[in-house]
Amino acid sequence: LIFTMVMMGAVLYSVKSQIQLSKKISLVWGIPSILLALSFSLYNNPVLKSLNILLIPLLITGYLITVRYEQVKGIGLALAANIVDRMFNKALMTSPKFISFSKEIIKSGKEVKENATRKSIIRGLMISIPLLIIIIMLLSSADMMFNYYIQSLGDLFGGFNNSSVIAHTFLITLITLYMFGLLWSFKYSHIPYQEEAMGVVKACWEPVTMITILVMVNTAYLLFTVVQAAYLYGGGADALPIGFSYAEYARRGFFELILVTIINFAIVMLGMNLMKKGQGVVHKAANLSYSLLIVFTFNMLGAASYKMYLYESAFGFTRLRVFVQVFMILIGILLIILLLGIWVKKTPVLKYSVIAALTVYTALNFINIDRIIAKENILRYEETGKIDVGYIINLSYDAMPEIVRLLNAEETEVSQQIREHLERQKEIMHDQYDQWYEYNYYKSQILNRID
Protein backbone atom coordinates (compact mmCIF):
# COMPACT_ATOMS: atom_id res chain seq x y z
CA LEU A 1 0.00 0.00 0.00
CA ILE A 2 2.84 2.41 0.87
CA PHE A 3 4.63 1.67 -2.39
CA THR A 4 1.44 2.14 -4.42
CA MET A 5 0.60 5.46 -2.79
CA VAL A 6 4.16 6.78 -3.13
CA MET A 7 4.35 5.82 -6.81
CA MET A 8 0.98 7.36 -7.67
CA GLY A 9 1.83 10.47 -5.65
CA ALA A 10 5.20 10.84 -7.40
CA VAL A 11 3.58 10.92 -10.83
CA LEU A 12 0.76 13.23 -9.78
CA TYR A 13 3.21 15.66 -8.19
CA SER A 14 5.69 15.62 -11.08
CA VAL A 15 2.99 16.69 -13.59
CA LYS A 16 0.63 18.40 -11.13
CA SER A 17 -0.13 21.29 -13.46
CA GLN A 18 -1.53 18.86 -16.08
CA ILE A 19 -3.47 16.51 -13.82
CA GLN A 20 -7.27 16.31 -13.95
CA LEU A 21 -8.36 14.69 -10.71
CA SER A 22 -11.99 15.67 -11.32
CA LYS A 23 -12.42 12.92 -13.92
CA LYS A 24 -14.88 10.47 -12.40
CA ILE A 25 -13.88 7.73 -14.84
CA SER A 26 -10.43 7.64 -13.21
CA LEU A 27 -12.00 6.27 -10.01
CA VAL A 28 -12.74 3.03 -11.88
CA TRP A 29 -8.98 2.38 -11.85
CA GLY A 30 -7.87 4.35 -8.79
CA ILE A 31 -10.17 2.91 -6.11
CA PRO A 32 -9.55 -0.80 -6.94
CA SER A 33 -5.77 -0.27 -7.14
CA ILE A 34 -5.68 1.25 -3.63
CA LEU A 35 -8.06 -1.33 -2.15
CA LEU A 36 -6.15 -4.26 -3.69
CA ALA A 37 -2.88 -2.81 -2.36
CA LEU A 38 -4.51 -2.49 1.06
CA SER A 39 -5.55 -6.15 0.97
CA PHE A 40 -1.87 -7.14 1.33
CA SER A 41 -1.98 -5.72 4.86
CA LEU A 42 -5.12 -7.69 5.73
CA TYR A 43 -5.26 -11.05 3.96
CA ASN A 44 -2.87 -13.77 2.82
CA ASN A 45 -4.63 -15.77 0.10
CA PRO A 46 -1.71 -16.74 -2.20
CA VAL A 47 -3.83 -17.01 -5.35
CA LEU A 48 -5.34 -13.54 -4.99
CA LYS A 49 -2.00 -12.03 -3.93
CA SER A 50 -0.36 -13.41 -7.08
CA LEU A 51 -3.15 -12.06 -9.27
CA ASN A 52 -2.99 -8.69 -7.53
CA ILE A 53 0.74 -8.38 -8.21
CA LEU A 54 -0.15 -8.55 -11.91
CA LEU A 55 -3.35 -6.51 -11.78
CA ILE A 56 -2.36 -3.59 -9.54
CA PRO A 57 0.29 -2.19 -11.97
CA LEU A 58 -2.28 -2.31 -14.79
CA LEU A 59 -4.85 -0.45 -12.68
CA ILE A 60 -2.35 2.17 -11.52
CA THR A 61 -1.19 2.78 -15.08
CA GLY A 62 -4.79 3.08 -16.26
CA TYR A 63 -5.53 5.58 -13.50
CA LEU A 64 -2.46 7.71 -14.24
CA ILE A 65 -3.14 7.74 -17.98
CA THR A 66 -6.76 8.76 -17.38
CA VAL A 67 -5.96 11.69 -15.08
CA ARG A 68 -2.88 12.77 -17.05
CA TYR A 69 -4.28 13.01 -20.57
CA GLU A 70 -7.35 15.08 -21.38
CA GLN A 71 -8.38 13.08 -24.44
CA VAL A 72 -8.85 9.90 -22.36
CA LYS A 73 -12.51 10.12 -21.37
CA GLY A 74 -13.81 6.57 -21.37
CA ILE A 75 -13.07 2.85 -21.25
CA GLY A 76 -12.26 1.16 -24.52
CA LEU A 77 -9.73 -0.63 -26.67
CA ALA A 78 -7.64 2.52 -27.11
CA LEU A 79 -7.13 2.85 -23.35
CA ALA A 80 -6.22 -0.84 -23.05
CA ALA A 81 -3.71 -0.45 -25.88
CA ASN A 82 -2.20 2.61 -24.19
CA ILE A 83 -1.85 0.81 -20.86
CA VAL A 84 0.02 -2.06 -22.50
CA ASP A 85 2.14 0.33 -24.56
CA ARG A 86 2.96 2.43 -21.49
CA MET A 87 4.06 -0.56 -19.39
CA PHE A 88 5.92 -2.62 -21.97
CA ASN A 89 7.19 -0.06 -24.46
CA LYS A 90 7.40 3.51 -23.20
CA ALA A 91 8.63 2.54 -19.72
CA LEU A 92 11.47 0.48 -21.19
CA MET A 93 12.32 3.06 -23.87
CA THR A 94 12.42 5.89 -21.31
CA SER A 95 14.38 4.07 -18.58
CA PRO A 96 17.85 4.92 -20.07
CA LYS A 97 17.10 8.57 -19.24
CA PHE A 98 17.88 7.64 -15.63
CA ILE A 99 21.59 7.96 -16.46
CA SER A 100 21.29 11.44 -17.94
CA PHE A 101 18.92 12.42 -15.13
CA SER A 102 21.49 11.33 -12.54
CA LYS A 103 24.20 13.25 -14.35
CA GLU A 104 22.05 16.39 -14.30
CA ILE A 105 21.58 16.05 -10.53
CA ILE A 106 25.32 15.70 -10.00
CA LYS A 107 25.98 18.57 -12.39
CA SER A 108 23.51 20.85 -10.62
CA GLY A 109 25.25 20.07 -7.34
CA LYS A 110 28.60 21.01 -8.83
CA GLU A 111 27.25 24.31 -10.08
CA VAL A 112 26.46 25.28 -6.52
CA LYS A 113 30.01 24.67 -5.46
CA GLU A 114 32.57 23.40 -7.95
CA ASN A 115 34.87 21.05 -6.09
CA ALA A 116 37.31 18.76 -7.89
CA THR A 117 37.99 16.80 -4.72
CA ARG A 118 34.32 16.01 -4.22
CA LYS A 119 34.08 14.83 -7.82
CA SER A 120 37.05 12.50 -7.31
CA ILE A 121 35.56 11.10 -4.08
CA ILE A 122 32.20 10.37 -5.74
CA ARG A 123 33.92 8.65 -8.63
CA GLY A 124 36.01 6.60 -6.21
CA LEU A 125 32.90 5.53 -4.26
CA MET A 126 31.08 4.47 -7.42
CA ILE A 127 33.99 2.21 -8.34
CA SER A 128 34.85 0.94 -4.87
CA ILE A 129 31.39 -0.05 -3.59
CA PRO A 130 30.72 -2.83 -6.16
CA LEU A 131 34.34 -3.96 -5.80
CA LEU A 132 34.01 -4.00 -2.01
CA ILE A 133 30.89 -6.16 -2.19
CA ILE A 134 32.68 -8.76 -4.30
CA ILE A 135 35.76 -8.76 -2.03
CA ILE A 136 33.67 -9.15 1.15
CA MET A 137 31.76 -12.06 -0.38
CA LEU A 138 35.02 -13.80 -1.31
CA LEU A 139 36.53 -13.19 2.14
CA SER A 140 33.34 -14.48 3.80
CA SER A 141 33.62 -17.69 1.82
CA ALA A 142 37.30 -17.99 2.75
CA ASP A 143 36.89 -17.59 6.52
CA MET A 144 33.95 -18.86 8.58
CA MET A 145 34.52 -16.46 11.48
CA PHE A 146 34.69 -13.47 9.16
CA ASN A 147 31.46 -14.66 7.55
CA TYR A 148 29.88 -14.98 11.02
CA TYR A 149 30.66 -11.36 11.92
CA ILE A 150 29.48 -10.09 8.52
CA GLN A 151 26.21 -11.99 8.99
CA SER A 152 25.83 -10.55 12.51
CA LEU A 153 26.43 -7.05 11.14
CA GLY A 154 23.77 -7.65 8.53
CA ASP A 155 21.26 -8.72 11.18
CA LEU A 156 21.42 -5.20 12.62
CA PHE A 157 19.92 -3.92 9.34
CA GLY A 158 17.16 -6.49 9.02
CA GLY A 159 19.38 -9.39 7.96
CA PHE A 160 20.92 -10.31 4.64
CA ASN A 161 22.56 -13.30 3.05
CA ASN A 162 25.91 -12.68 1.38
CA SER A 163 25.10 -15.10 -1.40
CA SER A 164 22.04 -13.05 -2.38
CA VAL A 165 23.60 -9.56 -2.29
CA ILE A 166 24.44 -9.49 -6.00
CA ALA A 167 21.03 -10.92 -6.97
CA HIS A 168 19.24 -8.33 -4.83
CA THR A 169 21.40 -5.51 -6.16
CA PHE A 170 20.72 -6.61 -9.74
CA LEU A 171 16.96 -6.89 -9.09
CA ILE A 172 16.80 -3.50 -7.34
CA THR A 173 18.69 -1.90 -10.24
CA LEU A 174 16.27 -3.36 -12.82
CA ILE A 175 13.20 -2.27 -10.84
CA THR A 176 14.67 1.21 -10.31
CA LEU A 177 15.34 1.67 -14.02
CA TYR A 178 11.91 0.36 -14.98
CA MET A 179 10.04 2.45 -12.41
CA PHE A 180 11.96 5.57 -13.41
CA GLY A 181 11.09 4.94 -17.06
CA LEU A 182 7.41 4.41 -16.25
CA LEU A 183 7.16 7.53 -14.09
CA TRP A 184 9.19 9.69 -16.48
CA SER A 185 7.01 8.66 -19.43
CA PHE A 186 4.17 10.72 -17.98
CA LYS A 187 6.27 13.85 -18.51
CA TYR A 188 5.43 13.68 -22.22
CA SER A 189 2.25 15.46 -23.23
CA HIS A 190 1.56 13.54 -26.45
CA ILE A 191 -0.32 10.27 -26.38
CA PRO A 192 -1.62 8.35 -29.43
CA TYR A 193 -5.30 7.97 -28.67
CA GLN A 194 -8.02 7.30 -31.24
CA GLU A 195 -10.91 5.71 -29.40
CA GLU A 196 -13.40 6.16 -32.19
CA ALA A 197 -11.16 4.56 -34.77
CA MET A 198 -10.59 1.53 -32.55
CA GLY A 199 -14.01 1.20 -31.01
CA VAL A 200 -16.37 1.62 -33.96
CA VAL A 201 -17.05 -1.22 -36.40
CA LYS A 202 -18.86 -0.39 -39.60
CA ALA A 203 -22.34 -1.92 -39.53
CA CYS A 204 -22.79 -3.94 -42.70
CA TRP A 205 -25.03 -6.92 -41.89
CA GLU A 206 -28.74 -6.99 -42.54
CA PRO A 207 -30.90 -7.79 -39.48
CA VAL A 208 -32.24 -10.88 -41.26
CA THR A 209 -28.70 -12.30 -41.40
CA MET A 210 -28.28 -11.97 -37.63
CA ILE A 211 -31.76 -13.36 -36.96
CA THR A 212 -30.92 -16.45 -39.05
CA ILE A 213 -27.71 -17.02 -37.06
CA LEU A 214 -29.48 -16.50 -33.76
CA VAL A 215 -32.38 -18.84 -34.64
CA MET A 216 -29.92 -21.63 -35.50
CA VAL A 217 -27.89 -21.12 -32.31
CA ASN A 218 -30.95 -20.79 -30.07
CA THR A 219 -32.40 -24.00 -31.52
CA ALA A 220 -29.26 -25.88 -30.50
CA TYR A 221 -29.42 -24.36 -27.02
CA LEU A 222 -33.10 -25.28 -26.74
CA LEU A 223 -32.34 -28.93 -27.50
CA PHE A 224 -29.48 -28.87 -25.03
CA THR A 225 -31.72 -27.38 -22.35
CA VAL A 226 -34.42 -30.03 -22.87
CA VAL A 227 -31.93 -32.91 -22.66
CA GLN A 228 -30.15 -31.38 -19.67
CA ALA A 229 -33.39 -30.82 -17.75
CA ALA A 230 -34.28 -34.46 -18.18
CA TYR A 231 -31.23 -35.82 -16.33
CA LEU A 232 -30.20 -32.89 -14.15
CA TYR A 233 -33.28 -31.20 -12.76
CA GLY A 234 -35.56 -34.22 -13.04
CA GLY A 235 -33.42 -36.88 -11.37
CA GLY A 236 -32.06 -35.13 -8.30
CA ALA A 237 -28.55 -35.44 -6.94
CA ASP A 238 -28.17 -39.07 -8.10
CA ALA A 239 -28.93 -38.34 -11.76
CA LEU A 240 -25.34 -38.29 -12.93
CA PRO A 241 -24.62 -39.45 -16.49
CA ILE A 242 -23.25 -43.02 -16.62
CA GLY A 243 -19.46 -43.07 -16.47
CA PHE A 244 -19.10 -39.62 -14.89
CA SER A 245 -17.68 -38.92 -11.47
CA TYR A 246 -18.66 -35.83 -9.46
CA ALA A 247 -15.30 -34.24 -10.32
CA GLU A 248 -15.69 -34.80 -14.07
CA TYR A 249 -19.30 -33.69 -13.93
CA ALA A 250 -18.65 -30.38 -12.17
CA ARG A 251 -15.47 -29.59 -14.08
CA ARG A 252 -17.10 -30.20 -17.43
CA GLY A 253 -19.96 -27.97 -16.40
CA PHE A 254 -17.58 -25.18 -15.45
CA PHE A 255 -15.43 -25.19 -18.59
CA GLU A 256 -18.56 -25.63 -20.66
CA LEU A 257 -19.92 -22.49 -18.99
CA ILE A 258 -16.80 -20.49 -19.78
CA LEU A 259 -16.70 -21.54 -23.43
CA VAL A 260 -20.41 -21.10 -24.08
CA THR A 261 -20.49 -17.75 -22.28
CA ILE A 262 -17.58 -16.43 -24.37
CA ILE A 263 -19.27 -17.61 -27.55
CA ASN A 264 -22.60 -16.04 -26.57
CA PHE A 265 -20.99 -12.76 -25.57
CA ALA A 266 -19.12 -12.68 -28.88
CA ILE A 267 -22.29 -13.38 -30.84
CA VAL A 268 -24.28 -10.63 -29.10
CA MET A 269 -21.47 -8.03 -29.09
CA LEU A 270 -20.51 -8.60 -32.72
CA GLY A 271 -24.12 -8.76 -33.78
CA MET A 272 -24.94 -5.45 -32.09
CA ASN A 273 -21.98 -3.79 -33.83
CA LEU A 274 -22.24 -5.43 -37.25
CA MET A 275 -26.01 -5.27 -37.71
CA LYS A 276 -27.34 -2.20 -39.47
CA LYS A 277 -29.28 0.08 -37.17
CA GLY A 278 -32.92 0.79 -37.72
CA GLN A 279 -36.48 0.40 -36.44
CA GLY A 280 -39.38 -1.89 -37.15
CA VAL A 281 -40.47 -5.46 -36.63
CA VAL A 282 -37.25 -6.98 -37.99
CA HIS A 283 -35.06 -5.16 -35.47
CA LYS A 284 -37.39 -6.05 -32.61
CA ALA A 285 -37.20 -9.68 -33.72
CA ALA A 286 -33.40 -9.43 -33.66
CA ASN A 287 -33.46 -7.98 -30.14
CA LEU A 288 -35.79 -10.76 -29.01
CA SER A 289 -33.40 -13.31 -30.48
CA TYR A 290 -30.47 -11.73 -28.61
CA SER A 291 -32.54 -11.78 -25.42
CA LEU A 292 -33.46 -15.43 -25.91
CA LEU A 293 -29.77 -16.27 -26.32
CA ILE A 294 -29.05 -14.57 -23.00
CA VAL A 295 -31.91 -16.48 -21.35
CA PHE A 296 -30.38 -19.77 -22.50
CA THR A 297 -27.04 -18.60 -21.14
CA PHE A 298 -28.71 -17.91 -17.79
CA ASN A 299 -30.06 -21.47 -17.90
CA MET A 300 -26.55 -22.81 -18.38
CA LEU A 301 -25.39 -20.63 -15.54
CA GLY A 302 -28.05 -22.15 -13.28
CA ALA A 303 -27.13 -25.67 -14.38
CA ALA A 304 -23.45 -25.09 -13.68
CA SER A 305 -24.30 -23.64 -10.25
CA TYR A 306 -26.34 -26.74 -9.45
CA LYS A 307 -23.48 -28.99 -10.53
CA MET A 308 -21.14 -27.09 -8.26
CA TYR A 309 -23.62 -27.50 -5.42
CA LEU A 310 -23.60 -31.27 -5.95
CA TYR A 311 -19.82 -31.28 -6.07
CA GLU A 312 -19.41 -29.27 -2.85
CA SER A 313 -22.00 -31.39 -1.08
CA ALA A 314 -19.96 -34.48 -1.90
CA PHE A 315 -16.40 -33.20 -1.43
CA GLY A 316 -16.51 -29.90 0.49
CA PHE A 317 -15.18 -26.44 -0.31
CA THR A 318 -11.91 -25.43 -1.97
CA ARG A 319 -10.57 -22.17 -3.34
CA LEU A 320 -11.24 -23.22 -6.93
CA ARG A 321 -14.85 -24.09 -6.15
CA VAL A 322 -15.46 -20.78 -4.38
CA PHE A 323 -13.79 -18.90 -7.25
CA VAL A 324 -16.11 -20.73 -9.65
CA GLN A 325 -19.15 -19.57 -7.67
CA VAL A 326 -17.96 -15.96 -7.66
CA PHE A 327 -17.26 -16.20 -11.39
CA MET A 328 -20.83 -17.36 -11.95
CA ILE A 329 -22.11 -14.34 -10.05
CA LEU A 330 -20.01 -12.08 -12.27
CA ILE A 331 -21.30 -13.81 -15.41
CA GLY A 332 -24.86 -13.22 -14.24
CA ILE A 333 -24.17 -9.50 -13.70
CA LEU A 334 -22.55 -9.20 -17.14
CA LEU A 335 -25.52 -10.92 -18.76
CA ILE A 336 -27.87 -8.38 -17.17
CA ILE A 337 -25.67 -5.53 -18.46
CA LEU A 338 -25.67 -7.08 -21.91
CA LEU A 339 -29.45 -7.46 -21.86
CA LEU A 340 -29.76 -3.80 -20.87
CA GLY A 341 -27.50 -2.85 -23.78
CA ILE A 342 -29.74 -4.71 -26.23
CA TRP A 343 -32.86 -2.74 -25.37
CA VAL A 344 -31.32 0.59 -24.29
CA LYS A 345 -29.02 1.54 -27.14
CA LYS A 346 -27.05 4.24 -25.30
CA THR A 347 -25.94 1.86 -22.54
CA PRO A 348 -22.09 1.80 -22.33
CA VAL A 349 -21.85 -1.99 -22.10
CA LEU A 350 -18.05 -2.17 -22.03
CA LYS A 351 -17.74 0.49 -19.33
CA TYR A 352 -20.34 -1.11 -17.07
CA SER A 353 -18.80 -4.55 -17.65
CA VAL A 354 -15.32 -3.37 -16.61
CA ILE A 355 -16.75 -1.66 -13.51
CA ALA A 356 -18.72 -4.80 -12.59
CA ALA A 357 -15.69 -7.06 -13.07
CA LEU A 358 -13.39 -4.85 -10.97
CA THR A 359 -16.05 -4.48 -8.26
CA VAL A 360 -16.62 -8.23 -7.97
CA TYR A 361 -12.89 -9.00 -8.01
CA THR A 362 -12.11 -6.34 -5.40
CA ALA A 363 -14.93 -7.66 -3.20
CA LEU A 364 -13.50 -11.17 -3.63
CA ASN A 365 -10.27 -9.94 -2.03
CA PHE A 366 -12.10 -8.71 1.06
CA ILE A 367 -14.55 -11.52 1.86
CA ASN A 368 -11.78 -13.76 3.28
CA ILE A 369 -12.09 -16.79 1.03
CA ASP A 370 -9.89 -19.05 3.15
CA ARG A 371 -11.88 -18.42 6.33
CA ILE A 372 -15.13 -19.21 4.52
CA ILE A 373 -13.62 -22.45 3.18
CA ALA A 374 -12.41 -23.51 6.64
CA LYS A 375 -15.72 -22.61 8.27
CA GLU A 376 -17.84 -24.53 5.76
CA ASN A 377 -15.60 -27.59 5.81
CA ILE A 378 -15.59 -27.65 9.62
CA LEU A 379 -19.40 -27.44 9.64
CA ARG A 380 -19.47 -30.29 7.15
CA TYR A 381 -17.07 -32.24 9.40
CA GLU A 382 -19.37 -31.75 12.40
CA GLU A 383 -22.28 -33.12 10.34
CA THR A 384 -20.61 -35.96 8.42
CA GLY A 385 -17.33 -36.66 10.24
CA LYS A 386 -15.41 -36.15 6.97
CA ILE A 387 -12.63 -33.58 6.59
CA ASP A 388 -9.45 -33.19 4.57
CA VAL A 389 -7.07 -31.97 7.28
CA GLY A 390 -4.19 -31.79 4.81
CA TYR A 391 -6.06 -29.23 2.73
CA ILE A 392 -7.29 -27.27 5.75
CA ILE A 393 -3.80 -26.74 7.18
CA ASN A 394 -2.52 -25.57 3.80
CA LEU A 395 -4.90 -22.61 3.83
CA SER A 396 -3.42 -19.21 4.63
CA TYR A 397 -3.30 -17.44 8.00
CA ASP A 398 -6.69 -15.93 7.14
CA ALA A 399 -8.33 -19.25 8.06
CA MET A 400 -6.69 -19.60 11.48
CA PRO A 401 -9.63 -18.18 13.50
CA GLU A 402 -11.70 -21.12 12.21
CA ILE A 403 -8.96 -23.77 12.18
CA VAL A 404 -8.29 -23.39 15.91
CA ARG A 405 -11.80 -24.76 16.50
CA LEU A 406 -10.48 -28.16 15.44
CA LEU A 407 -8.27 -28.27 18.54
CA ASN A 408 -11.43 -29.47 20.27
CA ALA A 409 -12.26 -32.08 17.64
CA GLU A 410 -13.49 -35.42 18.98
CA GLU A 411 -10.98 -37.33 16.84
CA THR A 412 -7.60 -37.24 18.55
CA GLU A 413 -5.76 -37.56 15.24
CA VAL A 414 -7.42 -34.43 13.85
CA SER A 415 -6.79 -32.30 16.94
CA GLN A 416 -3.16 -33.50 17.10
CA GLN A 417 -2.52 -32.56 13.46
CA ILE A 418 -3.96 -29.10 14.07
CA ARG A 419 -1.87 -28.62 17.23
CA GLU A 420 1.33 -29.59 15.37
CA HIS A 421 0.40 -27.27 12.54
CA LEU A 422 -0.06 -24.33 14.93
CA GLU A 423 3.31 -25.04 16.53
CA ARG A 424 5.01 -24.97 13.13
CA GLN A 425 3.29 -21.70 12.28
CA LYS A 426 4.42 -20.27 15.60
CA GLU A 427 8.06 -20.96 14.74
CA ILE A 428 7.68 -19.55 11.23
CA MET A 429 5.99 -16.39 12.45
CA HIS A 430 8.63 -15.65 15.07
CA ASP A 431 11.44 -16.23 12.56
CA GLN A 432 10.06 -14.29 9.60
CA TYR A 433 7.46 -11.75 10.73
CA ASP A 434 9.49 -8.99 12.34
CA GLN A 435 9.45 -5.92 10.08
CA TRP A 436 6.98 -3.05 10.47
CA TYR A 437 6.38 -2.84 6.73
CA GLU A 438 5.31 -6.51 6.72
CA TYR A 439 2.33 -5.81 8.98
CA ASN A 440 -0.61 -8.03 8.22
CA TYR A 441 -3.81 -8.11 10.25
CA TYR A 442 -4.34 -11.88 10.34
CA LYS A 443 -0.66 -12.60 10.96
CA SER A 444 -0.72 -10.22 13.92
CA GLN A 445 -3.85 -11.95 15.22
CA ILE A 446 -2.13 -15.33 15.05
CA LEU A 447 0.91 -13.98 16.87
CA ASN A 448 -1.34 -12.75 19.66
CA ARG A 449 -3.09 -16.13 19.85
CA ILE A 450 -0.04 -18.34 19.87
CA ASP A 451 1.85 -16.19 22.35
Side-chain angles (χ1 to χ4, degrees), residues 88-97:
F88 299 102
N89 181 27
K90 287 186 171 58
L92 297 176
M93 296 297 291
T94 313
S95 59
K97 288 187 174 291

Side-chain angles (χ1 to χ4, degrees), residues 141-158:
S141 299
D143 189 285
M144 293 180 62
M145 289 305 298
F146 183 77
N147 180 63
Y148 170 77
Y149 285 113
I150 291 295
Q151 292 281 11
S152 299
L153 180 64
D155 291 339
L156 297 176
F157 300 96

